[in-house]
Amino acid sequence: VEHIHRVLSLLREHDLYVKVTKCTWMRKWAKFLGLVIDEGGVRPAPEKLQGLQEFPEPKDRTGLRQFLGLANWFRRFVPHFSHIVAPLLSLLRTTVPFNWKAEHSLAFPLLKKAVLDHATLALPDPKQPVVLVPDASLSAQAIGAVAMQRDCASGRFRPLAFGSRRLTGAEVNYPVRELEFLAIIHFAKVWKHFLAADSEIWTDHQSLTNFNHRSFEHCSPRVRRWIEFMQELGIQPKYIPGKANIVADALSRNPPPSAPQREPSAPRQEPSAPEQELRVLQVSAVPSREFLRKCREGYAHDPFFSPIVWNLSALRPPTPSPELALRMRDITFRDGLLYYGGDRLCVPRSLHKQVIGENHASPHSAHLGINKTYKKMASLYYWPKMWRDVGVYIRACDPCQRSKGPNALPPGLLHPLSVPSQPWESVCLDFLTDLPPSGDERYDTIMVVVCRLIKAAILVPTHRIASAEETARLYRRFVTCKKGYQRQIVSDRDPRFVSKFW
């Protein structure tokens, strides 16, 4: 009852409401997102387990992928998951035929049994420190970790989460110490919500317990960024012998499988132009018949196509003027619609933005550039100066402006700057502007400060109209007070940087 009173008090304090019919009271367990949560911890719901246990034996790669995708949901509850599933993963390779053998028949029920005998993860206790135990294995080309907390009742450590992943092609070439450091950094970022000032990180690599050692003086910029992250995290790793680091060592030597490659699909016959037209029209929320109806209605208000429709639909059309005759060249009139060059639908001005948006900004279009978008549209549609309209639309596309960088060569000659001797001795400073307003302060600009040596970045929200004095105060608050004074600040000729105030 006390817990219910606390929850309801918090809801009332923040003016939040709950629906009574969706609430359950006086229960010792609850279901949430396929999980059962009680005082003992977190475990999968029985419905999830039943779906896996009733899954039939796969007959092809598609069925095997479906089974492994379902089983992969239970990965964090099953120790040594990838070791059990390894025989089945070999069948996902497209370079070998799909032959179901005795070893696969043995691994299939064994994986079901391992999931059925899953471990129960403990619920985090905010009063107890979290212990992160990572490890790396160069032979298995993977890293693994476990997050644990000590149980007050039994005095033993209980797992909060298991984790492991394979190394990338570049990470395989890292030295052993950097691999151990990578494991610490990766899982500290993954489970950062678990970590606090009193948390501990255990490692079996003793040199990682002292970042001020002279062996780190000439390390790579990547390692310097890692050291800076650990300093901001405020947790100093503690050394434990490798023999005591059993769980994380096992996870790193039994990593999760890499993503399976897709099977090469059989060649498909290209659809005809009318079929392509209908497919493009069906992508939008408006049905194709509705779209064609709007085209017929839009011709009457289009200054380019309305004279053509009137001339071609008249029983006794007058002789067209030379300008109109030039417009009507290669245009036919069928069922109230105009077609250019045979099958290219003529689109009135009122529907230009809709058609460009469907071919550029819809989920299946991938925000292609001007050339590719125009070629895609030109095979289906026609209107005068289509190239110009496509260019204007794409240059104003908000997602494209955010995610696509310029591909033009920089003007003038480049003058390289000297390499700094220590982190945050020299920084680059610039603004990222014209962003959607966010937060209570309606920030629309980000001040970006990057260390030229280790490439670490500090992002400060601000406004586009911020003055030189306000910019200097933000720089002092978020950069100088945290990283010290800089010998050099590199920026463009923004009035806020070249003013006398700086």
Side-chain angles (χ1 to χ4, degrees), residues 62-294:
T62 302
L64 181 58
R65 288 194 184 100
Q66 293 174 352
F67 172 74
L68 293 179
L70 177 59
N72 192 60
W73 189 85
F74 300 90
R75 172 182 294 276
R76 60 173 177 159
F77 299 95
V78 181
H80 311 295
F81 179 91
S82 57
H83 178 72
I84 301 172
V85 81
L88 300 177
L89 291 177
S90 61
L91 292 177
L92 295 179
R93 299 176 182 174
T94 57
T95 55
V96 297
F98 186 88
N99 294 328
W100 192 268
K101 299 180 181 179
E103 56 179 330
H104 307 125
S105 300
L106 182 62
F108 184 72
L110 187 61
L111 178 59
K112 288 186 176 182
K113 184 178 183 302
V115 172
L116 191 62
D117 300 336
H118 59 272
T120 299
L121 301 180
L123 292 174
D125 185 359
K127 298 180 181 179
Q128 293 293 327
V130 175
V131 178
L132 177 62
V133 189
D135 192 46
S137 174
L138 186 60
S139 59
Q141 298 185 358
I143 56 176
V146 57
M148 305 183 300
Q149 269 188 336
R150 188 182 296 275
D151 188 4
C152 298
S154 62
R156 297 181 179 180
F157 284 100
R158 295 189 60 188
L160 301 178
F162 298 98
S164 58
R165 74 164 178 87
R166 289 186 179 274
L167 301 176
T168 63
E171 293 170 348
V172 172
N173 300 321
Y174 288 1
V176 176
R177 184 176 71 168
E178 292 191 18
L179 284 180
E180 298 283 347
F181 206 171
L182 171 66
I184 295 176
I185 296 297
H186 175 76
F187 291 104
K189 291 181 178 180
V190 172
W191 294 326
K192 192 174 182 179
H193 54 283
F194 282 151
L195 303 180
D198 58 347
S199 300
E200 298 180 1
I201 298 178
W202 296 352
T203 177
D204 56 1
H205 209 82
Q206 193 168 8
S207 64
L208 296 179
T209 59
N210 183 15
F211 298 130
N212 296 323
H213 194 269
R214 60 183 181 180
S215 61
F216 287 102
E217 292 181 358
H218 304 288
C219 59
S220 63
R222 176 181 61 250
V223 176
R224 292 187 181 184
R225 290 197 300 270
W226 293 349
I227 294 176
E228 183 176 355
F229 173 79
M230 293 300 299
Q231 291 173 345
E232 293 180 356
L233 191 63
I235 302 177
Q236 191 73 15
K238 295 183 179 181
Y239 171 72
I240 60 172
K243 295 181 180 180
N245 195 6
I246 300 175
V247 178
D249 184 71
L251 290 173
S252 65
R253 299 179 187 277
N254 293 277
S258 56
Q261 300 180 353
R262 295 184 177 180
E263 295 183 88
S265 57
R268 297 185 300 173
Q269 184 179 0
E270 290 293 329
S272 60
E275 292 175 344
Q276 290 180 352
E277 176 182 329
L278 289 177
R279 288 185 182 182
V280 174
L281 295 177
Q282 290 172 355
V283 171
S284 73
V286 182
S288 59
R289 292 183 179 179
E290 181 69 15
F291 180 83
L292 297 178
R293 184 188 63 81
K294 289 185 177 181

Side-chain angles (χ1 to χ4, degrees), residues 312-327:
L312 294 179
S313 60
L315 296 177
R316 295 181 180 180
T319 302
S321 63
E323 181 184 358
L324 183 59
L326 186 62
R327 292 189 194 179

Side-chain angles (χ1 to χ4, degrees), residues 408-425:
L409 293 175
L413 299 177
L414 297 177
H415 300 279
L417 302 173
S418 58
V419 179
S421 60
Q422 60 185 3
W424 297 103
E425 180 184 27

Side-chain angles (χ1 to χ4, degrees), residues 353 356 370 386-397 401:
K353 289 187 178 180
I356 299 175
I370 298 177
M386 181 191 292
W387 172 271
R388 183 198 63 183
D389 295 341
V390 172
V392 171
Y393 184 95
I394 294 179
R395 291 189 188 98
C397 179
Q401 302 304 317

